Amino acid sequence: MSDLFWLSDAQMARLEPYFPKSHGKPRVDDRRVLSGIIFINRNGLRWRDAPKEYGPHKTLYNRWKRWSDKGIFAQMLAGLAAGHGEKTTVMIPSRDIT
């Protein structure tokens, strides 16, 4: 697949403050794994269909599961959203309300 997604240096720098501390053995490459998780979710793929460039699908799933259970991804999204001006909730109706 030539349309792989990779987080940029700037994107990684914004996400790093939310990474949990590594205990014991070091984690595998965060950029590779997070880029793979985003790719899988964005394209609606099964974990086992992850392109080999992102590493073993089990590694992607394990990181996603572990960090999801700990609320890491929710903290990332809340932190990134807090830095962008919108102070009100914007809602778009799903059907025409007349």
Side-chain angles (χ1 to χ4, degrees):
M1 282 188 185
S2 61
D3 297 329
L4 298 179
F5 171 80
W6 295 103
L7 289 163
S8 68
D9 290 338
Q11 291 167 325
M12 285 299 292
R14 289 188 65 203
L15 293 174
E16 281 183 39
Y18 302 102
F19 294 176
K21 300 287 186 245
S22 182
H23 301 288
K25 71 180 196 177
R27 291 191 301 261
V28 297
D29 181 23
D30 288 323
R31 181 188 312 268
R32 187 187 76 198
V33 174
L34 292 177
S35 295
I37 290 170
I38 292 168
F39 183 85
I40 290 296
N41 285 311
R42 185 180 70 183
N43 292 294
L45 300 175
R46 298 176 302 177
W47 294 107
R48 69 178 132 198
D49 294 332
K52 66 180 185 302
E53 290 84 354
Y54 295 124
H57 73 275
K58 190 68 173 170
T59 301
L60 301 177
Y61 172 77
N62 286 342
R63 175 81 59 92
W64 174 81
K65 177 70 172 140
R66 202 169 39 250
W67 283 20
S68 293
D69 289 347
K70 291 181 178 182
I72 304 297
F73 290 117
Q75 291 171 11
M76 283 181 185
L77 293 175
L80 294 173
H84 291 279
E86 283 295 324
K87 302 293 183 205
T88 60
T89 302
V90 177
M91 300 179 82
I92 300 171
S94 60
R95 59 185 172 89
D96 186 23
I97 302 174
T98 54

